[in-house]
Amino acid sequence: MAALFSLPVDEKRRFQRLPGRTAMGWSNSELTKQRVDLKEVWDIAWVPDPSRRLDHSSNVSPIDGCNLLPDGAVRNTLLNYYKTAKESVCDPLYRALCAAFDLSFDAVQAATHPMGENSKSVGFMRLNHYAKHAGDEGMNIHEHTDAGLFTVLWASDVRGLQYQDRQGGWERTVQADDGTLTLTINLGDMFQVLTNDAASAPVHRVVCERDWPLPRYSIALFFNPSETAVISPMTKQVSEGRERSLYRDIAWAKFRRRRFEGDAADLGVEVQISDWRL
């Protein structure tokens, strides 16, 4: 991962993601809620058939577009990591989350991935590089919730991830100091909708530790619905003696596009699931 981010800026710009072109690739100017984050990212969409070119129709996501990656060993290593992590971590975790919230996995899978194995869009992998502590200049990543179903996050030893508590304060996550692999699981907006607010997508941000001599790296696997999915509550909440859904149907492709467009340019208030709340 460091090899990608250590490329000269002019070289990285060859793989820069641009609205209207692709949501995948490199960026050093991402916004969160209309504020620039002090980081650089490299987004990589799920590749159903690694034996084919990245721009082959079988590998181009209808939502996120085509991957932009240099050829060579680094690309192969990243795609293999993504495949292994999805199959060994994300897929079984999805079943476990459904069981934990008393949701039928088959019913949830039919709603979130109606095309089954034929789907080209099941999320993306984000490589993050934070070169320095943000200090008074701003946040490495401003406060937000993740848009999809859930996120699996690996991070280097440099602490920075913080979660907002119920009182509005911020708590830093605990990381092992002995080099042990630490994974953090975030529930996303779409899972909150599926559970009708039984689950909550946590508000979080990244502020790297001051005076830490090393850069922070992380890899986030965003597990998302597929391109044709329409997300709605699969359970009911009892309110005033009657069951009701708290959200209108959300077309995932539209929601994802609007969130990405707001990440790439200041288009006003960022889209939120509260916009669909009944």
Side-chain angles (χ1 to χ4, degrees), residues 6-197:
S6 64
L7 291 171
V9 173
D10 286 346
E11 177 70 8
K12 287 185 284 192
R13 287 198 177 106
R14 293 179 51 227
F15 306 97
Q16 188 166 9
R17 65 184 203 194
L18 294 170
R21 177 187 179 194
T22 179
M24 297 295 101
W26 174 79
S27 175
N28 66 347
S29 58
E30 182 164 273
L31 293 87
T32 300
K33 296 186 176 179
Q34 301 85 54
R35 292 165 293 178
V36 176
D37 298 325
L38 297 179
K39 64 175 181 177
E40 57 178 333
V41 303
W42 208 304
D43 289 346
I44 304 169
W46 174 246
V47 177
D49 189 354
S51 67
R52 296 182 181 272
R53 290 168 49 97
L54 293 181
D55 60 359
H56 188 273
S57 59
S58 63
N59 288 329
V60 177
S61 164
I63 297 177
D64 296 319
C66 178
N67 280 314
L68 300 176
L69 280 168
D71 292 331
V74 172
R75 182 177 80 176
N76 295 335
T77 298
L78 289 170
L79 294 181
N80 287 333
Y81 173 87
Y82 191 1
K83 182 177 186 297
T84 300
K86 177 186 177 299
E87 294 175 351
S88 63
V89 179
C90 294
D91 290 348
L93 177 60
Y94 196 25
R95 288 182 176 273
L97 287 172
C98 289
F101 286 90
D102 295 323
L103 298 175
S104 163
F105 175 76
D106 290 340
V108 171
Q109 181 74 342
T112 59
H113 300 90
M115 299 174 66
E117 296 300 321
N118 295 319
S119 174
K120 300 177 187 176
S121 298
V122 293
F124 65 99
M125 177 170 71
R126 168 166 291 177
L127 314 181
N128 292 299
H129 173 221
Y130 311 93
K132 62 178 181 177
H133 171 77
D136 296 331
E137 301 174 60
M139 297 287 169
N140 293 107
I141 302 182
H142 290 82
E143 67 275 9
H144 67 286
T145 57
D146 293 341
L149 292 164
F150 62 86
T151 306
V152 178
L153 178 74
W154 167 87
S156 61
D157 293 338
V158 181
R159 293 175 176 84
L161 181 62
Q162 299 178 348
Y163 287 90
Q164 191 171 49
D165 60 30
R166 295 181 184 277
Q167 289 72 45
W170 293 95
E171 298 289 338
R172 193 176 295 279
T173 56
V174 176
Q175 280 183 242
D177 293 321
D178 58 0
T180 302
L181 176 64
T182 302
L183 294 178
T184 301
I185 311 300
N186 285 337
L187 298 181
D189 291 336
M190 295 302 108
F191 199 81
Q192 179 170 334
V193 172
L194 281 175
T195 63
N196 212 24
D197 280 1

Side-chain angles (χ1 to χ4, degrees), residues 224-246:
N224 295 339
S226 61
E227 60 268 25
T228 58
V230 177
I231 308 302
S232 60
M234 302 199 70
T235 61
K236 308 295 184 187
Q237 278 202 0
V238 177
S239 177
E240 297 178 355
R242 63 187 181 90
E243 294 182 339
R244 68 187 185 99
S245 295
L246 300 179

